[in-house]
Amino acid sequence: MKIRNAGIMIAVMALVLTLSSGVSFADKSVAAIEAPEQAAKGTEITVKIHVSHSSNSFFHYTDWVKVMVNGKEAARWEYSAGNRPEGAKFTKEMKLTIDGPTEIVAEANCNLHGGQPPAKLTIGLKE
């Protein structure tokens, strides 16, 4: 009986160490940007942020998505265990008026594992 309990304790300790060490078998949240590479000055464009994550369950989900435009936060979506994203893959849209060269940075975060490095896209002006 003691050997069986020792085996269970070792398995539990290994699981705790794995979870607390930051080692993850699930993927991190990742954002990708869909927008034109060029636009005429004064044009309103649609920017789509595609977010992907291994799951969106009560315990494990994308907890935020943010978009920076020329260094300033332009959009942010917050999620919680009770208000999760609509799926493991989802898309958010925003409108943006182009006044000059524009850098867009999008990032998503998993509540347990963090996120992949931010996606970046620069929109140039059409002549």
Side-chain angles (χ1 to χ4, degrees), residues 10 15 17-18 27 35 43 49 51 53-54 56 60 64-65 72-73 76 81 85 95 100 107 115 118 120 124-125:
I10 289 171
L15 178 62
L17 287 173
T18 299
D27 68 342
T43 302
I49 308 301
V51 181
H53 185 255
S54 65
N56 279 310
H60 183 211
W64 56 259
V65 177
K72 295 180 183 174
E73 190 171 289
R76 184 177 188 94
K95 299 290 186 184
E107 188 174 8
K120 295 180 183 181
L125 287 180

Side-chain angles (χ1 to χ4, degrees), residues 7 21 43 52-53 61 67 73 75 77 79 86 95 107 109 124:
S21 70
T43 302
S52 175
H53 185 255
Y61 53 90
V67 179
E73 190 171 289
W77 297 273
Y79 301 98
E86 49 270 25
K95 299 290 186 184
E107 188 174 8
N109 189 70

